[in-house]
Amino acid sequence: MDNLDRRILDILRRDARTPYTEIATQVGTSEGTVRNRVDRLTEEGIIERFTISTRTGNIKAMIEVSVKVNVNTTSLSETMATWEQVDFVWQVSGEEDVVLIVDAADTRAVNQLITRSRERDEVKNTKTRLILDERLGGVSS
């Protein structure tokens, strides 16, 4: 992956619907080059998916999960990623082992996800943080 790939990814991160022609203009290359690069990055698994970010008025939260020793966090993460209202599951270093980023209809739904997490045998503890506001990084005003 070179600098051009990074610049293309930076644009797509902000808006995955940006037309290839517009990306090409911004990075100073042809539309065909952008198309080929995006295809290659997708084939190589660097681009995993194209997604959207929403402002639904829902409650967004981080549920931080600590697991017991010798737990397969990859397997646990894969399971939790299938749960409704879970947008992302991160395996992290530090005091917690897994972080769920959730977009739930209300605090009751967040609490149900916390309970569901705590009911897992592998889970030792959870901490939850409500997300009060968010900004897209790297966007200048």
Side-chain angles (χ1 to χ4, degrees), residues 38-124:
V38 171
D39 288 348
R40 180 181 48 78
L41 292 167
T42 303
E43 289 169 12
E44 291 175 356
I46 293 168
I47 296 176
E48 293 179 340
R49 63 189 173 122
F50 292 89
T51 187
I52 62 169
S53 178
T54 60
R55 292 198 183 267
T56 59
N58 286 354
I59 304 293
K60 293 189 178 188
M62 295 179 358
I63 302 173
E64 302 172 9
V65 180
S66 298
V67 299
K68 297 175 183 172
V69 177
N70 297 326
V71 168
N72 182 338
T73 54
T74 299
S75 176
L76 179 63
S77 295
E78 288 171 354
T79 297
M80 291 176 156
T82 67
W83 295 353
E84 290 290 321
Q85 303 179 63
V86 172
D87 283 347
F88 296 97
V89 179
W90 300 330
Q91 292 181 54
V92 297
S93 62
E95 196 172 317
E96 283 72 32
D97 304 291
V98 175
V99 175
L100 308 179
I101 304 299
V102 303
D103 185 349
D106 52 30
T107 54
R108 174 175 283 158
V110 172
N111 197 43
Q112 288 170 342
L113 285 168
I114 295 166
T115 300
R116 189 171 185 185
S117 298
R118 289 180 177 170
E119 288 174 344
R120 306 265 328 171
D121 289 337
E122 308 98 313
V123 173
K124 183 170 56 173

